[in-house]
């Protein structure tokens, strides 16, 4: 109905979608959206404790909660970016869709001295173009037709003392970029419709799936705004370039907390897949597997999507009652045979490091 992608549900601000406060739903059972459509529903009692005008800030994640998703190189990226952010300088995250830019930003926030303050994520591509200025900077009562009676503080002010994450900033309308630049330079904003200027205090992390320097060359993004937000640029590698995808699979699976085990074949196939949608696609696949798993049974390769299952190696010829070490060794030897002795290819298929294969099989290093 609202033209949102699935990942934007729950992240798009309430005020960007609905014209009336949520209290109207409790009073008359009907709401008007920004297009004037009448929507009917019931407001659950547990939602009444939450603020309507101000979306609830995201609770900071402990550093250890997402830690397993980051390999050694990414841990170094986090440490370096954290020092830059702590110095009051902005950080720009670049990477393909689904590489975990928001996860990285949340981890930066969780490790910072601002961790106890709000983390406000704004998807610049999800906000309607006609409302993005009002939603970002706020507005006074009567600032425009349809403005809420009490006005709105805006998303930038909700990040006060914490971290503001501007996702997909490359998709921000060109006409709005000069005002954002001015606000970021002066750390002060004036709400639409007048009002006293408000001082701002937040750490800034921006992200974009498109290469912003190329967008600057194509006149789709202002050069002065780019240089204002790109004091430190972090490029997040796609999942297919992670040398230890098996560890990522394990970390995401454990976070689901479903109590099911992944069979060795399913785990190897998941780790060997290229995942063009990166972490987002892998997470969605694992959630589906958890939903399809039979109670008390491990997740086997038969439950995998066809494109993932196509790369599943044939089951090793070992007894079902064999010890775990024997099964693992048989799988390694079979993968090595199928790859004509190419250790790198076999390790990639199994989702393990080459050194592990060398150590377990005693393979001579060439």
């Amino acid at each position: 109905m609202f033209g949102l992608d699935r990942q934007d549900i729950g992240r798009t601000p309430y005020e960007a979608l609905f014209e009336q406060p949520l209290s109207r739903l409790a009073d008359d059972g009907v709401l008007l959206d920004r297009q004037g459509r009448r929507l009917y529903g019931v407001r659950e009692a547990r939602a009444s404790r939450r603020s309507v005008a101000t979306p609830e800030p995201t609770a900071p994640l402990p550093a250890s909660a997402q830690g397993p998703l980051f390999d050694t190189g990414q841990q170094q990226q986090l440490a370096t970016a954290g020092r830059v952010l702590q110095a009051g300088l902005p950080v720009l995250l670049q990477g393909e869709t689904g590489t975990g830019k928001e996860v990285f930003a949340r981890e930066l926030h969780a490790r910072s001295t601002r961790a106890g303050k709000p983390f406000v994520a704004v998807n610049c591509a999800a906000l309607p173009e006609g409302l993005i200025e009002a939603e970002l900077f706020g507005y006074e009562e009567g600032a425009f037709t349809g403005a809420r009676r009490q006005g709105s503080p805006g998303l930038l002010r909700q990040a006060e003392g914490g971290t503001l994450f501007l996702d997909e900033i490359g998709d921000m309308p060109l006409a709005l970029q000069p005002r954002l630049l001015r606000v970021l330079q002066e750390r002060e904003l004036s709400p639409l419709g007048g009002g006293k200027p408000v001082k701002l205090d937040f750490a800034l992390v921006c992200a974009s799936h498109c290469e912003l320097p190329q967008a600057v060359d194509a006149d789709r993004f202002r050069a002065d705004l780019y240089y204002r937000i790109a004091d430190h640029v972090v490029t997040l590698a796609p999942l297919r370039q992670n040398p230890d995808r098996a560890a990522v699979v394990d970390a995401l699976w454990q976070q689901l907390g479903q109590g099911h085990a992944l069979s060795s074949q399913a785990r190897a196939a998941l780790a060997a897949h290229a995942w063009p949608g990166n972490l987002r696609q892998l997470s969605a696949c694992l959630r589906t597997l958890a939903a399809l798993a039979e109670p008390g049974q491990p997740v086997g390769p038969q439950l995998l999507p066809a494109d993932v299952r196509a790369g599943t190696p044939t089951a090793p010829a070992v007894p079902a009652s064999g010890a775990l070490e024997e099964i693992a060794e048989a799988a390694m030897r079979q993968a090595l045979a199928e790859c004509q002795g190419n250790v790198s290819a076999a390790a990639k298929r199994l989702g393990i490091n080459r050194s592990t294969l060398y150590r377990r099989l005693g393979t001579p290093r060439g």
Side-chain angles (χ1 to χ4, degrees):
M1 288 181 63
F2 293 104
L4 300 176
D5 292 331
R6 181 174 296 275
Q7 63 266 23
D8 296 324
I9 297 175
R11 296 168 54 186
T12 302
Y14 174 88
E15 293 82 358
L17 304 177
F18 295 98
E19 179 177 332
Q20 301 168 313
L22 189 58
S23 57
R24 287 292 301 274
L25 192 60
D27 296 338
D28 350 331
V30 64
L31 280 177
L32 291 180
D33 68 5
R34 292 288 184 180
Q35 285 73 46
R37 295 174 295 195
R38 295 170 65 85
L39 304 174
Y40 301 88
V42 176
R43 181 181 177 186
E44 295 181 1
R46 63 184 173 87
S48 62
R49 296 193 299 269
R50 296 186 178 182
S51 167
V52 175
T54 304
E56 187 174 291
T58 305
L61 296 174
S64 60
Q66 299 291 349
L69 294 180
F70 303 109
D71 59 28
T72 303
Q74 291 164 336
Q75 291 286 358
Q76 182 58 52
Q77 287 180 316
L78 275 167
T80 304
R83 291 196 295 270
V84 172
L85 203 65
Q86 192 64 32
L89 302 173
V91 172
L92 173 63
L93 309 180
Q94 295 260 208
E96 294 179 7
T97 297
T99 48
K101 295 186 287 293
E102 183 170 345
V103 173
F104 193 98
R106 288 181 184 276
E107 186 75 3
L108 277 178
H109 174 72
R111 297 184 182 196
S112 74
T113 57
R114 297 176 180 263
K117 298 295 184 178
F119 176 92
V120 177
V122 181
N123 189 328
C124 298
L127 290 174
E129 185 169 344
L131 294 175
I132 187 171
E133 185 173 15
E135 295 301 328
L136 280 179
F137 306 123
Y139 54 86
E140 297 294 322
E141 178 180 350
F144 53 87
T145 302
R148 295 210 321 272
R149 183 175 302 174
Q150 66 272 36
S152 171
L155 293 167
L156 269 63
R157 289 173 63 183
Q158 291 176 29
E160 182 64 24
T163 300
L164 176 68
F165 176 56
L166 296 179
D167 196 9
E168 304 302 358
I169 192 170
D171 294 326
M172 176 174 285
L174 193 61
L176 188 59
Q177 293 177 24
R179 185 172 184 201
L180 177 63
L181 173 63
R182 188 163 56 251
V183 169
L184 295 180
Q185 285 178 334
E186 300 173 1
R187 288 302 170 103
E188 180 180 277
L189 69 79
S190 299
L192 294 177
K196 185 178 179 181
V198 179
K199 290 290 184 182
L200 300 173
D201 173 32
F202 52 73
L204 178 65
V205 182
C206 299
S208 176
H209 71 279
C210 65
E211 292 289 341
L212 288 186
Q214 296 178 9
V216 170
D217 292 340
D219 294 327
R220 290 184 287 104
F221 199 82
R222 291 180 61 100
D224 47 6
L225 178 56
Y226 172 73
Y227 293 121
R228 182 63 187 83
I229 65 175
D231 284 23
H232 180 69
V233 179
V234 178
T235 301
L236 298 182
L239 183 56
R240 62 183 174 274
Q241 294 180 10
N242 190 317
D244 197 6
R245 289 197 296 276
V248 178
V249 170
D250 290 341
L252 288 173
W253 187 251
Q254 290 170 11
Q255 286 180 14
L256 289 176
Q258 296 294 320
H260 300 289
L262 282 174
S263 71
S264 58
Q265 278 190 284
R267 180 177 181 270
L270 289 165
H273 194 59
W275 300 112
N278 296 298
L279 286 172
R280 182 177 295 127
Q281 184 188 10
L282 173 58
S283 298
C285 179
L286 293 179
R287 289 196 299 270
T288 303
L289 291 178
L292 295 174
E294 295 291 340
Q297 298 295 319
V299 175
Q302 73 280 2
L303 296 180
L304 297 174
D307 59 334
V308 179
R309 192 169 60 248
T312 306
T314 307
V318 297
S321 58
L324 181 60
E325 289 295 320
E326 295 174 358
I327 296 174
E329 182 175 327
M332 291 178 184
R333 291 192 183 282
Q334 180 163 342
L336 194 61
E338 291 175 352
C339 294
Q340 288 77 47
N342 187 318
V343 176
S344 296
K348 182 178 181 180
R349 171 176 292 194
L350 293 168
I352 61 177
N353 290 324
R354 287 189 307 165
S355 58
T356 302
L357 206 55
Y358 284 126
R359 186 178 68 254
R360 295 288 296 275
L361 300 183
T363 306
R365 298 170 185 260

